[in-house]
Amino acid sequence: MRLQLADDLGRGYSFCVLQISRIALALLMVAMLAACTKIALPPQITMSEVEPSGRAARPSDCNMPVLRAVPMTDYREVAIIEGLGNRFVEEKDVLPLVIAKGCETGADALVINDSRAQTSENMTGYYINAIAIVYGKKHRTVEQRTR
């Protein structure tokens, strides 16, 4: 009878070790899978108004031209728009959100000043700096008179 007890005890011990090793292996596989996934936060878009555009906001999916150089015609700068995405995104991921913000200003086009992936102390990710412009002559500014 004693021999049978020792036999059962040994089988129970090996069964417990086998279960623990299976659980540990499953947890290790889940941890490795989680380490391989990318966490993609949405790009952050900021806008600073330079001057009022004098135009109504357009829908966020408007067809806005994107220029890589300033136009040869008269124009006014109405807003500075910056977009910053995380290090896993590219221009094609950030630019549509910059365009949507440009549509909100009522601008005619966007001029891209800077579009690059960067890693620095202050920012890491894909960065776009654009100017929203409206075609036409600049408005006259009111001059302050002195006595």
Side-chain angles (χ1 to χ4, degrees):
M1 193 77 153
R2 284 186 139 175
L3 185 60
Q4 194 171 11
L5 280 176
D7 238 3
D8 288 342
L9 185 61
R11 247 182 289 151
Y13 175 76
S14 66
F15 177 74
C16 183
V17 169
L18 184 62
Q19 285 292 73
I20 291 173
S21 64
R22 284 183 183 168
I23 291 171
L25 182 63
L27 289 174
L28 180 65
M29 290 174 66
V30 168
M32 288 176 59
L33 182 63
C36 292
T37 61
K38 295 180 189 177
I39 298 174
L41 299 173
Q44 301 298 311
I45 308 299
T46 58
M47 180 189 68
S48 301
E49 188 176 55
V50 175
E51 68 176 70
S53 69
R55 301 201 177 155
R58 296 162 59 184
S60 61
D61 61 345
C62 73
N63 186 16
M64 180 170 294
V66 176
L67 311 173
R68 300 291 173 167
V70 294
M72 300 300 286
T73 62
D74 291 334
Y75 68 91
R76 296 181 295 123
E77 295 180 357
V78 295
I80 300 169
I81 302 171
E82 294 180 311
L84 179 65
N86 64 30
R87 65 187 189 110
F88 300 114
V89 300
E90 299 172 358
E91 182 182 57
K92 66 180 177 65
D93 302 314
V94 180
L95 188 59
L97 298 172
V98 171
I99 292 171
K101 190 60 86 170
C103 291
E104 290 178 19
T105 67
D108 293 324
L110 285 177
V111 179
I112 303 295
N113 288 336
D114 196 7
S115 179
R116 63 187 155 98
Q118 68 178 25
T119 303
S120 68
E121 291 179 8
N122 299 332
M123 288 187 274
T124 300
Y126 201 90
Y127 174 73
I128 295 178
N129 180 322
I131 304 292
I133 63 169
V134 172
Y135 293 115
K137 295 186 179 189
K138 296 185 179 191
H139 291 305
R140 291 185 188 178
T141 57
V142 177
E143 293 181 22
Q144 201 170 17
R145 295 192 306 187
T146 58
R147 292 187 181 216

